[in-house]
Amino acid sequence: MADFFNILFLFLLSTVKFLFVPFLSLLTYKYNVVLSIPVHIAGGLTGVYVFYFLSKEILILWGRLKQKYKIGKNKQHVIVNSNSRRIVKIKNRWGYIGLIVLTPPVISIPIGTFIAVRFYRSKQTLTFLLISVVLWSFSEHAIIYLLQKVFHTI
């Protein structure tokens, strides 16, 4: 029963903090790669799907609220805070491809997916995010597996 809750925890954690799950599953819980990779990929894909469609709905709702209450019509200046500055910095520095590549490990899945939906309305965005999750999962597990082999032989 404890294994079920550990796997559920790893699944839910990989929907938001994708980078940490292989370390937890392989090093802390001592699961093998065959169990860890599917849980990691399933959680990441679920996170991308949920936050992709949730972000679209939030943006649609925000557009309706702006129209209804005429928010932003008579703007004098743009209010800049640390979050908006960070989002624009990521968008300008890395662009579309950089955002897709950096979303699972560096930027969290919810934030990266929201930025992708907000600024890049392409039909391939969801597909590229899903591919990025799968590739990063295999890459992270391979790196940890190789490091385990190297340090166990020394």
Side-chain angles (χ1 to χ4, degrees):
M1 193 63 166
D3 277 346
F4 172 76
F5 287 115
N6 288 340
I7 291 170
L8 181 64
F9 170 71
L10 292 171
F11 173 82
L12 293 174
L13 185 63
S14 65
T15 61
V16 289
K17 293 291 185 186
F18 193 75
L19 181 66
F20 302 120
V21 173
F23 294 101
L24 283 173
S25 66
L26 295 175
L27 302 176
T28 304
Y29 295 124
K30 305 289 187 208
Y31 291 133
N32 61 8
V33 177
V34 176
L35 175 66
S36 180
I37 289 176
V39 171
H40 194 220
I41 290 175
L45 295 179
T46 302
V48 168
Y49 269 116
V50 167
F51 291 112
Y52 182 83
F53 292 110
L54 186 64
S55 297
K56 280 181 119 174
E57 291 302 317
I58 287 171
L59 290 172
I60 290 170
L61 179 64
W62 178 247
R64 287 182 188 154
L65 287 174
K66 280 174 52 175
Q67 249 182 354
K68 184 176 181 181
Y69 296 107
K70 297 178 182 21
I71 298 172
K73 293 289 183 186
N74 298 326
K75 277 190 182 177
Q76 309 300 332
H77 64 296
V78 176
I79 298 173
V80 178
N81 58 26
S82 62
N83 285 338
S84 64
R85 193 175 292 128
R86 184 179 307 125
I87 290 171
V88 170
K89 191 178 199 179
I90 290 168
K91 179 183 174 281
N92 290 339
R93 176 181 255 176
W94 300 106
Y96 181 68
I97 299 298
L99 181 66
I100 296 296
V101 169
L102 293 176
T103 289
V106 180
I107 311 167
S108 67
I109 288 178
I111 294 171
T113 304
F114 181 80
I115 294 170
V117 169
R118 171 69 177 93
F119 292 111
Y120 303 105
R121 296 193 183 206
S122 170
K123 292 181 181 180
Q124 295 89 6
T125 301
L126 179 61
T127 306
F128 289 151
L129 283 168
L130 296 174
I131 291 170
S132 178
V133 163
V134 172
L135 293 177
W136 270 109
S137 179
F138 281 117
S139 301
E140 289 177 36
H141 280 84
I143 290 168
I144 294 170
Y145 183 76
L146 291 174
L147 287 175
Q148 277 184 324
K149 290 295 182 188
V150 167
F151 288 115
H152 279 265
T153 58
I154 295 176

